[in-house]
Amino acid sequence: MSRRKGGKLKGLLLGRQIDLTSHIVRTSASIRFENKGSSDTTKVLFALSSAQAERLAYLAAIVLEGKGKSKTQSDPLAVSQVSFQSAPRDIVLYSFSLNKPLKRGESAIVEVNYVLTHVLKPFPEEIKQSDVQLVVYLDNAYLLSPYVVKVQTTTFKLPRSRVESFTKLDASRLADSELKYGPYENVAAFSHQPVTVHFENNQPFAVIKELEREIEISHWGNVYVTENYHLMHGGARHKGTFSRLDYQARPSASGVAAFNRLFAKLPPRAHSVYYRDEIGNISTSHLRSDNKRTDLLLEPRYPLFGGWQVTFTLGYGVPISDFLFYSKDGQRFLDFTFGSPISNAVVDKLVVKVVLPEGSKDPVVSVPFPVEITHERKYSYLDTVGRTVVVLRKENVVPEHDVHFQVYYKFNNLALLAEPLMLVFGIFCFFIACIAYMHFDFSISKSSASYQARLQREEVADAIQRLQKVMNVRAAVTDKLDASLRDLARTGDVASCKAARKAAEATLKETAKEVKSIQEALQASSRAASVLLKVDSLIQKEKEKQDKLLQKHSLTVELYERKLSSKDIDNRIAPYQQKLLVLTQEVSDLLHAIDD
């Protein structure tokens, strides 16, 4: 028995259904409360063990009214955690506030739904690739109630008919994939009868260790969503080696406890969907969409066995007209889903970031359950003061949390023009700068010392280039004279050799004038002091070389006219040839030094 504000309540449990078909345990309990007291009551109590309260992800209750097809349900009841000194220490109590007082002698049916996570324990904790997954679930054969319960039953719905073991009590029976305890009558308050069920469960134990969702609002037509996942298989850990051959050849027998695909339900009219990881785009995905729904089938790069993890990013865009609305007071508000779009997944840590347009003010969040709310600032393209980011954090999130939440904010329509005007102004400034560059003379003053020094350096460099060209011409003359001497030794044609000598002398005479002018120009420049000595030495050595070559040429022609033997001719011109080799090497070294 328990008293609440003068009301004496008694509970009649119509039924408790515990769904064990996945790794998320969902319980639905229908309780008829009867007010046997002398006054009205506005609250009813509900209890959970402290172990279950630690794993509690979702708790909600409604009042069922009417009978048969005319049965209706109320709005969700307000729930709060309470404490009483008379309650056992390992019990956590919750109070549901009725929408209207329960009068004396009346009764009300309250349907309580709660979700537990990480309560199915793999046993054994490690399995091989070909093994099935067995799990253990611990609970109470009775509803843990703070009231006396007249009649109650508990039903466990299992994923398969294979049950390794279960606690056998009076009025307990197993039929196919359903295990039932009860009915039990006149159960005292806080009665506890532990039961254990050891059964096969090969459903995907998809646990998202961390999920960060970024919802960015653009008033230019779209809402962009980026989701970063850290996913793992939360079932029995895989032991031994992994054989992909066996997995692909016998998918029904090898790796039955693993999963290689995920189903995500995206908003209708989602577009620009992408699915990638650190390596790059993942092409193993299938998308089906229409105006009412968008279904995405994701396949990781490898199947996930117990304890294996994977990280990836899912992104998409949706039309802003489907999710951004105006409130009665003129504010804009985003109406979007809170949880993960992946079906039947537990999110240990969820972070939702709503990036508001630049210029947004006074954001207000409306979420139907408790969350931690903070604010950040983000800078993006063409931003000046940054964008306000509303950050929502919640742990232990289940699909029941995938409901709509709202973010209200104020926004001046003139702020829409900020980025286009900034872009236009930037382009305008760019063209003004180009026009100024084309019309202004940014060169250094011709009277400055640096400008004069640069001119002198350019003049010296030009003179050196001209000198090198002249030296190349005179070197070509040398080659022609040597060629005429070889022809003379082969044919004995003295006339042709003299003609070549005459042409060479004419060329040398012309180039000597140019060499002299270059030498005078360098002598007149103060910047040529470092190379002037080498240039003078080059000119002197090159002139000496040409003189020695002409002497050799004249002597050779004369000896051929006197018709001496080839051996005598070679002996007579050998000293000249040796001197020419030395001079040629010296000229080459000086040219390289000047060029450096």
Side-chain angles (χ1 to χ4, degrees), residues 28 43 62 70 158 198 320 342 415 449 480:
S28 177
K43 296 182 182 295
I62 57 174
S70 61
L158 307 176
H198 188 200
I320 194 172
I342 294 181
K480 290 180 180 179

Side-chain angles (χ1 to χ4, degrees), residues 488 494 497-498 552-561:
L488 176 62
V494 177
C497 190
K498 288 183 177 181
K552 171 190 171 184
H553 195 275
S554 299
L555 179 59
T556 303
V557 171
E558 181 184 351
L559 294 176
Y560 268 97
E561 286 179 341

Side-chain angles (χ1 to χ4, degrees), residues 15-304:
R16 181 171 62 134
Q17 297 282 340
I18 301 176
D19 188 352
L20 303 178
T21 57
S22 70
H23 67 117
I24 303 174
V25 177
R26 295 177 170 89
T27 302
S28 177
S30 296
I31 310 171
R32 181 190 297 274
F33 290 98
E34 297 179 354
N35 188 356
K36 297 294 186 179
S38 58
S39 62
D40 300 346
T41 184
T42 58
K43 296 182 182 295
V44 294
L45 297 178
F46 183 77
L48 289 176
S49 67
S50 57
Q52 289 186 334
E54 290 179 359
R55 300 297 184 180
L56 180 65
Y58 176 81
L59 175 63
I62 57 174
V63 175
L64 300 179
E65 299 175 349
K67 296 182 180 181
K69 295 183 179 180
S70 61
K71 183 180 293 185
T72 60
Q73 62 183 35
S74 67
D75 294 332
L77 306 182
V79 57
S80 60
Q81 184 174 334
V82 296
S83 61
F84 292 98
Q85 294 181 353
S86 59
R89 292 184 178 181
D90 60 344
I91 300 297
V92 179
L93 290 175
Y94 299 90
S95 173
F96 296 118
S97 299
L98 300 175
N99 295 327
K100 59 181 181 179
L102 185 62
K103 297 181 180 181
R104 185 181 60 177
E106 293 184 347
S107 64
I109 300 177
V110 178
E111 184 176 284
V112 181
N113 295 283
Y114 61 95
V115 178
L116 305 177
T117 61
H118 302 295
V119 292
L120 294 183
K121 302 301 180 183
F123 187 77
E125 296 181 353
E126 295 183 348
I127 58 175
K128 296 181 180 180
Q129 179 174 338
S130 58
D131 295 340
V132 299
Q133 180 174 258
L134 300 176
V135 297
V136 173
Y137 177 67
L138 306 177
D139 207 324
N140 187 1
Y142 307 133
L143 173 69
L144 192 60
S145 172
Y147 309 111
V148 174
V149 181
K150 186 176 181 181
V151 179
Q152 63 169 289
T153 59
T154 298
T155 304
F156 295 92
K157 185 178 180 182
L158 307 176
R160 299 174 66 91
S161 59
R162 178 181 175 180
V163 178
E164 294 292 305
S165 64
F166 66 94
T167 303
K168 296 181 180 179
L169 302 174
D170 293 338
S172 63
R173 56 189 178 278
L174 175 65
D176 196 15
S177 61
E178 188 173 278
L179 176 61
K180 188 174 183 179
Y181 288 89
Y184 300 110
E185 298 181 357
N186 298 320
V187 180
F190 299 116
S191 296
H192 183 67
Q193 177 59 59
V195 294
T196 302
V197 186
H198 188 200
F199 60 98
E200 178 182 346
N201 189 338
N202 295 315
Q203 298 300 315
F205 277 43
V207 178
I208 302 172
K209 303 295 292 182
E210 186 172 358
L211 169 59
E212 180 177 302
R213 304 184 72 203
E214 183 179 271
I215 305 169
E216 183 173 349
I217 303 173
S218 172
H219 285 165
W220 297 101
N222 287 287
V223 175
Y224 298 99
V225 182
T226 304
E227 301 175 346
N228 297 310
Y229 288 85
H230 180 189
L231 175 71
M232 73 169 294
H233 189 308
R237 293 190 302 273
H238 176 74
K239 69 176 181 179
T241 60
F242 167 65
S243 173
R244 184 172 287 275
L245 178 62
D246 291 343
Y247 181 80
Q248 293 179 340
R250 300 182 303 156
S252 60
S254 178
V256 293
F259 62 90
N260 65 346
R261 59 182 58 190
L262 299 167
F263 180 76
K265 186 176 181 181
L266 304 183
R269 299 206 295 168
H271 59 83
S272 305
V273 181
Y274 61 88
Y275 168 44
R276 63 170 183 255
D277 59 10
E278 294 178 353
I279 300 176
N281 185 56
I282 304 176
S283 59
T284 53
S285 59
H286 307 278
L287 180 69
R288 294 184 301 174
S289 62
D290 53 35
N291 291 333
K292 295 182 178 180
R293 57 188 298 177
T294 301
D295 297 333
L296 178 62
L297 184 64
L298 305 173
E299 295 185 13
R301 294 186 183 273
Y302 49 85
L304 290 181

